[in-house]
Amino acid sequence: MFCPKCNKERFERLRGNEFRCQNCLFTYFHNVAAAVALIIRCENQILFTRRALDPAKGLLDLPGGFVDAGETLEQALERELYEELKLDISSPEYLFSFPNQYLYKDVNYDTCDTFFGLKLNQLPELIEEQKEISEVCWVDLEEFELGQVAFESTRKALTQYLAELN
C-alpha cells in the first residue's frame, strides 16, 4: 500500500485499524464509517426499498445511508430520507446499532449501522430516487423473508425489532 502523505510503498498495517508509513512515519487510522437506517412501520407493514446498485443489488433494504462529515445521526437520517424518498420525518426513535461490513468495488468498509424507528398512522406519499432505488414497497410484517434483505446488520435489526413487537 502507498502512503497518502509521502506516496512511498512502505505503508503497513500495525494492528486493527492502525497503519504506519515506514518511510515518513505517518500514522493513519482507518476508522469505522457511520450509517443510519429507518424502520418505518404503518399498521402491519414495513417500508423497504429495493437496491438498484451494488452492493446487494436487487435485495431489500431500509431507507438510509452514510453519515457525512459534520452531521449528526439524526441529520443524516433526515437528509437520506428526503434524498431517497422525498419524505420529511420528525422525531424518529433510536432503536439500536450493529456492526457491519460493506463491500464496495472490492474494498471492505467496516461500518456501524444505527437503526431508528418511526410508526406512521397512514401511508405517506413517496417519490423514490431512481438512481439508488429500483422500487419502494410496503411489506407485511409476516411476509418478508430475511434472506431477501441486504446486509447482515439490517437482518439483525429487523429480527430484534420484530422480537420486541411481540
Side-chain angles (χ1 to χ4, degrees):
M1 292 194 307
F2 289 89
C3 174
K5 184 175 180 185
C6 72
N7 210 25
K8 301 287 185 194
E9 194 173 2
R10 301 206 47 218
F11 206 54
E12 298 174 2
R13 180 188 301 259
L14 293 180
R15 62 191 160 277
N17 66 339
E18 185 178 359
F19 297 81
R20 179 169 293 137
C21 176
Q22 300 306 311
N23 183 61
C24 70
L25 302 180
F26 172 73
T27 301
Y28 169 75
F29 294 90
H30 191 72
N31 293 315
V32 172
V36 292
L38 183 63
I39 300 173
I40 303 174
R41 183 168 59 102
C42 185
E43 295 183 12
N44 201 34
Q45 297 181 317
I46 292 178
L47 176 73
F48 285 99
T49 59
R50 191 168 302 278
R51 296 182 61 82
L53 303 171
D54 279 323
K57 181 179 179 179
L59 293 180
L60 295 175
D61 201 359
L62 295 171
F66 286 101
V67 178
D68 289 343
E71 280 185 321
T72 65
L73 297 172
E74 295 81 3
Q75 289 169 334
L77 189 62
E78 289 177 17
R79 176 185 51 76
E80 287 286 348
L81 268 284
Y82 191 79
E83 287 175 3
E84 292 182 358
L85 303 171
K86 298 295 183 254
L87 181 62
D88 287 313
I89 61 165
S90 61
S91 304
E93 175 189 1
Y94 170 81
L95 298 175
F96 26 70
S97 63
F98 292 98
N100 194 38
Q101 292 194 334
Y102 188 87
L103 183 64
Y104 181 69
K105 295 187 178 183
D106 297 325
V107 176
N108 198 20
Y109 296 89
D110 289 309
T111 66
C112 180
D113 296 348
T114 306
F115 295 88
F116 291 83
L118 183 66
K119 185 176 178 186
L120 301 176
N121 295 322
Q122 65 184 33
L123 296 178
E125 184 176 328
L126 303 170
I127 302 170
E128 73 241 31
E129 190 274 325
Q130 299 288 314
K131 183 178 149 193
E132 295 181 11
I133 298 171
S134 63
E135 177 185 16
V136 173
C137 49
W138 290 93
V139 180
D140 195 275
L141 289 172
E142 291 84 32
E143 292 181 10
F144 82 92
E145 297 177 25
L146 280 176
Q148 291 298 310
V149 174
F151 310 116
E152 180 66 23
S153 62
T154 306
R155 291 189 291 273
K156 286 180 180 177
L158 289 166
T159 299
Q160 185 167 333
Y161 180 81
L162 293 174
E164 291 179 6
L165 284 180
N166 296 328

